[in-house]
Amino acid sequence: MVEAIDQVFVNLKHAVVGWAPPAWQAWVSAGLTVAALMGVFMSLFALVVLLERKGLGRIQNRPGPNRVGPWGLLQPMADFIKMLTKEDVVPAGADRVVHFLAPVAMVAPVLLAYAVLPVGRNMAAVDLDAGVLYFFAVGACIELSVFMAGWAGRNKFALLGAMRAIAQMISYELPLMLAAVPAVMLAGTLSLGGIVEAQAVPAGGWLARWHVLTPWGLAGLALFTIAALAEANRSPFDLPEGESEIVAGHLVEYSGFKYALFFIGEYLGMFAVSGLGITLFLGGWRSPASFLDWVPSYLWFFAKLGGFVALFIWLRGTLPRVRGDQLMALAWKLLVPMALLNIAVAAGWHYSAGWSFAGAWLARWGLGLGILGLGYGALARGLYESQGFGPRVYRFAD
Amino acid sequence: MSRGVRLVGLGIVKGLIETARNFIGSYRDPRRLVTVEYPEVRLPPVERARTFPMLVYDGADPEAGLRCVACKICEKECPPQCIYIEADRDARGRVLKRPRVFDVDCSVCMGCQICAEVCPFDAIKMNTEYELAVADRFGGLLLRKSQLVRSTEYHRTVHPQEAVEIDAQVAQARARAEAKARAGGGG
């Protein structure tokens, strides 16, 4: 029974594919997978946009949207109709082809990234051997689209925003990948399915071996989340869009459905990178303990995804936007060294697995957390004192 | 430089706790929500609020009780010249002390309140109605006398303090005038 509920979508797909003529089966299978992924994540997008607005409202002691439908539930529909009916303005000086292609180049790679994401047991569209590599390769295409958007509009604000975005995304690509390296190293595979497998409940135990339950996994998840925030252009790293200084950055010359596509791409990218974080550190679709295995795997995945998204919304409601130099300093002076240190700690964790003296468990944890803590203390203190993260010093006034 | 911060990043955690407190608090205590959900809920009237002019009348009949005597001071003083007044005339063509036409073009009016300040008869006062949208932006925004008249009771609801003072003054002046008339009639 549990098995049937867990595999209901997989079995449904197999039934439909089996019913199709043999020559079409591959196409039907692919089409069904793509349709399911698109449908689920697009609905999630609509829901998240609404919940984000309501959540931010509550954080600011406002009720949030509550006019369209009961509790404002139809608000995404109203937004969508508004976006569709808006005029699509292309500036006179724009590079029309690039201007048209940029939103497509935003959404397409993001959707491609979902191909390797295991959203449940046997529920990855393709389980590539180099899934992590593929994910990052596809994710890097978003930078191209942002720069296309900034360039095509022939607008200085758009160009400035695009240049900020490029600098930010390339800088944060590095800590994002370096944070993912330990998980790949210790699982011994680049396949996302294999990484999930490596976090399974060990034989005879009851607690899953989620990577986050290790010192390097904890630090890795934190680093990954910060870098993912920056990759997704989310607050507090939303400099490329900086409404207050450069209008909307690369989006300034976009309206109507093209703008909506950027918006969709941004949110789908956020879900995708959160999904990768879940797969790498939080056990993917696996339950935390064997006695919770009766909950379907896809529910675990989406619950974790919901947690990630809630954290992102919470951070957006809390933190002000960082300055450009602070952004760069954070990446290069804190995240990258910490990620490198984390790889060393992960290696130490791997080679200390054989320790068998009394209190070995405590020693491994203490050592790992100690090294990471000391590294963080030193690096963060340096950042705090050199880069103006601390209290503001007024040189001319005072 | 202060050495107060022991652990870098603690400020972020403090901020997160604060916003979480707001988030949960807004569900537990509805008084935290400051939003006034406008069409259903309205703010109480504010004494000093003002939008466009109105004509105050005493008693029940807007025609008979109108305080305005068509002196046209407001028309002359109005900076954007949005007031148009024509005095009424009797059958023999003599000017009567009441307006036949009193128009305010509220597409021109800037709500400066000068008309209300210069009126010696306290006949023109500022209204506080703000739902004035109309489909016709020329004729619809030109308010006629019949649309401008408001009773003293209404005046008391929108500007309570001001209205009470003025009503007292008006009553006093009327009593004086009546006493004078009686004295004149007796002598």
Side-chain angles (χ1 to χ4, degrees):
Chain A
M1 184 61 198
V2 169
E3 178 73 17
I5 294 174
D6 191 30
Q7 294 297 302
V8 59
F9 298 114
V10 178
N11 292 338
L12 200 66
K13 185 184 139 189
H14 284 166
V16 174
V17 171
W19 172 79
W24 293 8
Q25 278 183 355
W27 291 103
V28 170
S29 167
L32 279 175
T33 310
V34 170
L37 277 177
M38 293 271 283
V40 168
F41 281 97
M42 285 292 179
S43 326
L44 194 66
F45 159 72
L47 190 67
V48 164
V49 170
L50 175 68
L51 290 181
E52 170 157 30
R53 289 176 64 184
K54 288 193 92 81
L56 288 178
R58 288 289 171 170
I59 281 172
Q60 297 156 7
N61 284 330
R62 293 184 290 111
N66 60 359
R67 292 282 133 171
V68 194
W71 304 291
L73 278 177
L74 295 176
Q75 186 72 41
M77 194 53 79
D79 287 346
F80 180 68
I81 292 169
K82 187 200 102 181
M83 282 291 188
L84 274 186
T85 50
K86 264 186 161 181
E87 187 187 357
D88 174 30
V89 182
V90 182
D95 185 335
R96 301 187 72 90
V97 178
V98 179
H99 189 268
F100 175 78
L101 282 179
V104 181
M106 177 86 178
V107 175
V110 171
L111 290 176
L112 282 177
Y114 283 101
V116 290
L117 216 55
V119 296
R121 198 188 300 271
N122 307 327
M123 281 169 80
V126 276
D127 189 8
L128 289 181
D129 285 340
V132 179
L133 198 63
Y134 168 84
F135 190 96
F136 284 128
V138 175
C141 296
I142 296 169
E143 279 138 62
L144 177 69
S145 119
V146 168
F147 197 66
M148 280 163 78
W151 179 257
R154 193 178 270 216
N155 179 314
K156 59 187 164 198
F157 294 115
L159 195 56
L160 270 174
M163 286 167 75
R164 284 184 179 194
I166 294 293
Q168 171 179 333
M169 289 170 125
I170 289 177
S171 300
Y172 277 84
E173 200 102 302
L174 200 58
L176 190 75
M177 289 184 197
L178 287 177
V181 163
V184 172
M185 269 169 42
L186 269 79
T189 172
L190 275 166
S191 145
L192 288 171
I195 291 172
V196 174
E197 214 48 59
Q199 300 176 68
V201 179
W206 59 274
L207 189 67
R209 287 177 302 176
W210 286 7
H211 286 152
V212 74
L213 303 176
T214 58
W216 61 266
L218 204 61
L221 181 65
L223 291 168
F224 189 90
T225 311
I226 297 171
L229 268 178
E231 270 307 286
N233 286 340
R234 290 279 302 182
S235 173
F237 305 112
D238 54 352
L239 279 90
E241 280 167 47
E243 307 87 344
S244 50
E245 60 257 36
I246 49 169
V247 206
H250 57 282
L251 304 177
V252 70
E253 292 296 358
Y254 282 93
S255 60
F257 194 62
K258 285 179 188 165
Y259 178 81
L261 277 180
F262 277 107
F263 203 55
I264 292 170
E266 203 164 285
Y267 274 81
L268 290 186
M270 183 175 93
F271 301 153
V273 80
S274 305
L276 185 67
I278 290 164
T279 308
L280 290 177
F281 297 105
L282 291 171
W285 42 263
R286 288 196 175 276
S287 60
S290 53
F291 59 83
L292 286 169
D293 274 344
W294 54 273
V295 180
S297 56
Y298 42 87
L299 287 189
W300 277 117
F301 181 86
F302 282 102
K304 290 171 193 174
L305 189 60
F308 249 93
V309 170
L311 176 70
F312 282 3
I313 295 171
W314 189 8
L315 284 167
R316 182 176 170 187
T318 306
L319 300 176
R321 186 179 298 139
V322 297
R323 220 167 47 211
D325 61 318
Q326 292 175 335
L327 178 92
M328 288 297 148
L330 188 68
W332 294 105
K333 294 188 176 173
L334 182 68
L335 296 185
V336 170
M338 279 303 291
L340 290 171
L341 190 64
N342 197 31
I343 293 175
V345 169
W349 182 266
H350 181 63
Y351 286 115
S352 66
W355 290 2
S356 55
F357 55 85
W361 181 82
L362 205 65
R364 288 173 80 201
W365 264 90
L367 210 60
L369 282 185
I371 293 171
L372 286 168
L374 283 178
Y376 175 74
L379 288 166
R381 174 64 67 185
L383 198 64
Y384 184 78
E385 277 166 11
S386 68
Q387 285 298 321
F389 273 98
R392 183 169 290 181
V393 180
Y394 294 96
R395 281 191 297 163
F396 301 111
D398 199 20
Chain B
M1 196 167 166
S2 81
R3 286 262 157 189
V5 179
R6 290 273 179 275
L7 183 62
V8 180
L10 206 63
I12 294 174
V13 177
K14 279 184 192 163
L16 286 172
I17 291 170
E18 189 60 36
T19 46
R21 194 172 288 155
N22 273 351
F23 182 84
I24 296 162
S26 70
Y27 282 101
R28 290 168 62 101
D29 180 12
R31 278 172 303 173
R32 273 174 171 265
L33 300 176
V34 292
T35 310
V36 178
E37 297 191 37
Y38 158 62
E40 295 93 30
V41 186
R42 280 151 202 267
L43 287 171
V46 181
E47 169 75 31
R48 304 188 72 82
R50 65 169 192 251
T51 54
F52 296 118
M54 63 178 178
L55 290 172
V56 183
Y57 64 87
D58 297 302
D61 182 13
E63 282 297 319
L66 207 59
R67 290 175 181 172
C68 179
V69 296
C71 67
K72 301 194 186 181
I73 293 177
C74 52
E75 188 184 29
K76 291 190 184 76
E77 292 286 342
C78 179
Q81 303 188 351
C82 68
I83 303 176
Y84 176 73
I85 303 171
E86 264 179 40
D88 205 0
R89 287 165 190 275
D90 66 6
R92 290 162 55 192
R94 286 185 304 191
V95 175
L96 294 173
K97 283 188 176 177
R98 61 169 190 250
R100 188 175 63 82
V101 177
F102 197 113
D103 295 341
V104 173
D105 189 345
C106 69
S107 66
V108 174
C109 175
M110 59 189 195
C112 67
Q113 205 178 3
I114 287 177
C115 52
E117 279 165 16
V118 298
C119 182
F121 305 96
D122 291 315
I124 190 162
K125 288 288 162 205
M126 297 307 282
N127 203 343
T128 57
E129 281 168 22
Y130 48 86
E131 285 159 326
L132 298 162
V134 286
D136 170 18
R137 69 192 165 112
F138 301 107
L141 291 171
L142 184 66
L143 302 180
R144 306 283 179 187
K145 188 173 75 174
S146 57
Q147 294 162 280
L148 288 169
V149 290
R150 293 288 185 281
S151 65
T152 45
E153 286 79 42
Y154 175 81
H155 188 204
R156 271 188 225 115
T157 59
V158 296
H159 300 297
Q161 290 176 19
E162 180 200 63
V164 167
E165 263 169 50
I166 286 165
D167 288 353
Q169 281 170 20
V170 169
Q172 222 175 352
R174 190 164 300 150
R176 257 204 312 275
E178 273 172 25
K180 205 169 146 192
R182 251 201 313 275

